[in-house]
Amino acid sequence: MLPLHAKRIVLGVTGSIACYKAADLASKLTQLGAEVDVILTAAAEHFIKPLTFQSVTGRRAYIDQDLWGPEGHVLHVKLGKDADLLLIAPATANTLAKLAAGQADNLLTLTALAATAPLMLAPAMDGGMFDHPATQASLETLRAHGAQVHGPVSGHLASGLSGVGRMLEPAELAGHARVALSAGGPLAGRRVLVTAGGTQEPIDPVRVIANRSSGKQGYALAQAALDLGAQVTLVSGPTALIAPVGAHLLRVQTAVEMRDAVLALAAAADMLLMAAAVADFRPSQAADKKIKRAEGVPTVELAANPDILKEVSQQAQKPRVLVGFAAESNDLLANAQGKLASKGLDMIVANDVSAQDAGFEVDTNRVILLSKDGGQEELPLLSKYEVARKVLEKAASLLK
Ligand code: C5P
């Protein structure tokens, strides 16, 4: 199931050149499963056509004239009442001022007055207009009324100047919408701690012992936990992935750094999902200068790293649900069962990393969920996000 399945978003688009990015935002929200009803103001129509939005949402896009059409007397009330979120992106200084004053002189502002859903605003305008006390006062009033304001950010502006005024990027706005729409989900009020990626163990200042973990499954778990309404902390090894909007990200490099971070956070967490590929060994002494080839082939002596999950499971104060991952290339079930017991886990997610379409680096995974009570559920080949949803749903049921 798509993360925003059956969620209704009214996307208000007002007259800023950032309108062209609003089409991308509408597309992203639709791809996440939301039903997106777009309302353009008359000024927005100068920049972009309703057809652009209709083409990406598969739904009618409304223009100001619709206010005076056959449905005019009910349209704003219907759109406003049906919405789970009213997102205005881009939001101009003019629309912000109207909303703050409670004016309702077009279909969008009228709908905003009729709506009971949370209001999210993504201002976009020239830096000077944003800084103007009138705009700042509008935003202050709107915040006091409960609106969430995201951006603007600093950078190149259409005026040719640079400053604070750019609309936040569509991917980030879609992330904020996702967080807002997840409020009250099955993990609302729960703290979920997720580890992801591989650790790196320094040999010298330039070389490390690393592994092939991409972090994709762990990042998908963090996203799935957010989508179920949890407060999420993501402890991540080095990876190029972008953390999901709403997750609190802590970056670490080594297994020992990951252990310290996890132990500091575990006592307050309801659930730990340990998806990181933690190096079992580290060079016992990293050289403080780059090892030179001319010095001959070095011998690197290794020391054992702490077993983070085992340490957590031995703490007096620990998460109610502990989930481990077993990446195996042989004897999958026997090895996973052994780890479930020896590490004191509630569930283990076993995957065969020798398969081409599952495990490291790829976007899909094929796993078996084993639980403490002997339960065994074999999942088909799924996207890493779908695997994450299944894992989270099962782990959430163990919390009850
Ligand atoms: O023992 P093995 O590494 O196969 O166990 C895998 C599980 O244990 C994973 O959930 C991994 O994150 C965790 N682990 C750990 N500390 C280690 C090694 C693995 O917490 N040093």
Side-chain angles (χ1 to χ4, degrees), residues 195 255 258 273-281 305-310 323-328 339 343 345 348:
T195 67
M258 186 171 277
L273 301 151
M274 192 79 204
V278 185
D280 290 322
F281 311 106
N305 268 331
D307 187 326
I308 304 173
L309 260 182
K310 209 171 198 169
V323 181
F325 288 73
E328 306 290 341
K339 284 172 191 177
K343 292 178 192 250
L345 308 178
I348 195 153

Side-chain angles (χ1 to χ4, degrees), residues 144-319:
H145 293 170
Q148 275 188 39
V149 181
H150 296 294
V153 292
S154 175
H156 172 80
L157 301 173
S159 60
L161 303 171
S162 61
V164 177
R166 280 171 72 87
M167 188 176 86
L168 202 62
E169 290 304 316
E172 275 192 70
L173 287 172
H176 286 297
R178 213 161 158 168
V179 172
L181 289 164
S182 306
L187 288 178
R190 303 292 195 173
R191 289 178 202 209
V192 174
L193 181 56
V194 180
T195 67
T199 61
Q200 291 185 353
E201 311 296 328
I203 297 171
D204 68 16
V206 288
R207 302 180 181 96
V208 294
I209 297 179
N211 60 60
R212 287 179 54 207
S213 169
S214 62
K216 285 180 179 172
Q217 186 62 73
Y219 277 58
L221 286 160
Q223 180 67 72
L226 286 164
D227 289 341
L228 295 179
Q231 291 173 45
V232 177
T233 302
L234 175 59
V235 178
S236 172
T239 154
L241 298 177
I242 296 168
V245 172
H248 176 59
L249 176 70
L250 271 175
R251 289 189 182 282
V252 297
Q253 187 193 5
T254 65
V256 169
E257 285 170 16
M258 186 171 277
R259 189 256 319 256
D260 293 347
V262 169
L263 286 185
L265 294 162
D270 295 292
M271 196 188 285
L272 169 63
L273 301 151
M274 192 79 204
V278 185
D280 290 322
F281 311 106
R282 64 175 182 275
S284 39
Q285 191 85 53
D288 54 5
K289 291 204 178 64
K290 185 180 173 190
I291 299 168
K292 294 280 186 294
R293 197 208 312 232
E295 290 160 12
V297 179
T299 302
V300 179
E301 193 189 315
L302 299 177
N305 268 331
D307 187 326
I308 304 173
L309 260 182
K310 209 171 198 169
E311 284 193 25
V312 172
S313 78
Q314 286 163 355
Q315 304 287 308
Q317 284 246 28
K318 62 180 173 188

